[in-house]
Amino acid sequence: MIKLENITKTYDGKAQVHALKGVNLTIEDGEIFGIIGKSGAGKSTLVRCINMLERPTSGNVIIDEKNLTNMTDAQLRAERKHIGMIFQHFNLLSSRTVFDNIAFPLELIGASKEAIQKKVADLLELVGLTDRQFNYPAQLSGGQKQRVGIARALASDPNILLCDEATSALDPQTTKSILELLKDINQRLGITIVIITHEMAVIKEICNRVAVIEGGVIKEAGRVVDVFTNPQSQTMKDFVKSVINMELPAGIAKMGITDQPAPGYDMLVRLRFKGAATNEPVVASVVQRFHTYVSVLYGNIDYIQDEPFGYLIVVIMGSMEQQAKAFEYIKELPIGSEVLGYVPRNH
């Protein structure tokens, strides 16, 4: 388990920079945890505090009940063997082959040639690069270079793998293959993976939980499907928009929406579903219970890993009293709901 307790990080200079401001996070063993934020939010500083490449100004970094902030440099070097890291720009040694790049950390700890040969062969198979072991980095694609970086990070059998913008330099198809590899590694080896990214699609694809960082502060955290379907911070709302369109379609926006109910106007409502709630017969229930009509104007269903979520924009028709009672009923259901406004009848 990784526990960050009230982590702050301040850089001194002509003007002090407060990169992290009292960060508290708990990352469970074996999960894939995402930390998402815009450029300059503090996410890379945060991940470097986890392995103590950056010493926090204050606070505690506790991994498997060991407080890394109290350790000497020698103790930290030993502890970092259990923490692998991969980077956006791969950081491979250009003068060494794929095999030798992966072998490098094993050479540093004095492993035998036989042990290195077996370990590297296993890692090459794991990342799908056995046929590339004698190539040099210049002969590899970006995705292949990142696979080498992943294999090298796994050479010391870490319990934790930190990924700092590991897919940012890759095209979408290559990104997908790298994320599938990371998910496979997590499931096969049980390694805890922490992913730092500014790409919501990465979080949506493989993370179990996510924390949103903005200005060095954690704005919200939780299960990806919960944060994704009900974002609280402006940062997460912006990220969600990059993956699924939550804006009103242009045709609906031009209907003459007002803020207040009035005779001759119908209620415009957005419904949010997730998990089993996507099977709720909401529209049919409202029609039957309140003898009114519901018009579906727009719908969108997607998946976060294997969990469905979606949105419906509907118009609840009828008298103002019928509309109000229908919405009160909807609010009691296990779905999200909000009134977007009121539109003229016979729109």
Side-chain angles (χ1 to χ4, degrees):
M1 180 186 292
I2 302 169
K3 288 188 71 176
L4 305 179
E5 298 178 343
N6 201 30
I7 297 295
T8 69
K9 180 62 181 181
T10 302
Y11 295 99
D12 293 322
K14 291 183 179 179
Q16 273 196 341
V17 176
H18 300 285
L20 299 174
K21 305 170 186 176
V23 170
N24 291 283
L25 273 182
T26 298
I27 300 171
E28 302 292 342
D29 288 340
E31 76 173 324
I32 304 179
F33 192 96
I35 299 173
I36 190 168
K38 297 177 181 177
S39 179
K43 55 188 184 296
S44 289
T45 300
L46 181 57
V47 77
R48 290 171 66 84
C49 283
I50 292 176
N51 61 7
M52 296 293 287
L53 290 176
E54 293 276 4
R55 277 191 177 269
T57 303
S58 63
N60 296 303
V61 177
I62 301 170
I63 297 180
D64 295 334
E65 300 184 355
K66 301 175 187 175
N67 192 335
L68 273 59
T69 46
N70 292 337
M71 291 184 176
T72 65
D73 289 344
Q75 289 171 325
L76 274 178
R77 282 194 294 273
E79 198 60 34
R80 285 195 194 106
K81 293 174 185 176
H82 306 300
I83 307 173
M85 191 165 185
I86 58 176
F87 307 89
Q88 177 180 356
H89 297 297
F90 320 126
N91 293 358
L92 302 181
L93 299 169
S94 60
S95 61
R96 294 175 70 105
T97 64
V98 167
F99 184 100
D100 291 336
N101 263 281
I102 298 170
F104 188 58
L106 298 169
E107 294 170 6
L108 290 178
I109 61 172
S112 68
K113 286 186 177 181
E114 293 77 12
I116 290 173
Q117 183 68 43
K118 183 180 187 313
K119 186 66 176 179
V120 174
D122 290 344
L123 289 170
L124 283 166
E125 184 176 354
L126 178 66
V127 301
L129 287 179
T130 301
D131 60 338
R132 293 285 190 169
Q133 61 181 308
F134 301 121
N135 289 144
Y136 289 87
Q139 299 170 302
L140 304 177
S141 67
Q144 289 168 337
K145 289 177 184 176
Q146 194 56 282
R147 286 172 180 268
V148 178
I150 292 169
R152 181 182 58 187
L154 296 175
S156 59
D157 293 321
N159 302 318
I160 297 165
L161 182 61
L162 306 179
C163 309
D164 190 4
E165 298 281 11
T167 60
S168 295
L170 306 176
D171 63 76
Q173 191 56 44
T174 306
T175 292
K176 185 173 178 60
S177 71
I178 293 297
L179 295 178
E180 287 172 353
L181 174 60
L182 290 173
K183 194 169 185 176
D184 182 54
I185 287 168
N186 168 260
Q187 292 172 345
R188 280 204 212 184
L189 307 180
I191 291 177
T192 304
I193 299 179
V194 182
I195 294 180
I196 304 296
T197 185
H198 66 273
E199 299 173 294
M200 192 64 213
V202 171
I203 299 294
K204 177 174 171 279
E205 187 72 26
I206 66 167
C207 293
N208 308 120
R209 292 192 299 135
V210 62
V212 184
I213 188 168
E214 178 184 318
V217 175
I218 299 297
K219 290 293 186 179
E220 58 183 309
R223 288 199 319 142
V224 171
V225 69
D226 295 333
V227 174
F228 198 93
T229 54
N230 191 25
Q232 299 298 307
S233 65
Q234 187 57 50
T235 294
M236 180 51 74
K237 288 176 182 176
D238 291 342
F239 278 127
V240 169
K241 287 176 188 175
S242 72
V243 178
I244 183 169
N245 183 16
M246 292 179 64
E247 299 295 322
L248 282 176
I252 299 176
K254 292 177 181 177
M255 286 181 174
I257 301 171
T258 64
D259 294 334
Q260 298 298 323
Y265 278 73
D266 295 321
M267 184 183 287
L268 185 66
V269 176
R270 175 158 48 206
L271 308 175
R272 299 190 306 271
F273 304 84
K274 63 183 176 184
T278 53
N279 297 319
E280 289 283 334
V282 177
V283 172
S285 295
V286 170
V287 171
Q288 290 172 3
R289 282 173 176 263
F290 302 100
H291 307 292
T292 185
Y293 293 98
V294 178
S295 175
V296 177
L297 300 184
Y298 178 77
N300 194 334
I301 293 179
D302 202 342
Y303 284 82
I304 293 178
Q305 286 126 63
D306 296 326
E307 191 159 0
F309 72 97
Y311 299 87
L312 278 182
I313 296 176
V314 302
V315 173
I316 301 175
M317 303 175 188
S319 68
M320 292 170 61
E321 183 181 4
Q322 282 176 308
Q323 294 173 33
K325 285 183 177 179
F327 187 67
E328 285 301 312
Y329 166 73
I330 289 171
K331 285 200 298 185
E332 299 300 318
L333 298 175
I335 63 174
S337 57
E338 58 185 318
V339 176
L340 300 176
Y342 299 84
V343 295
R345 192 159 296 151
N346 302 320
H347 46 273

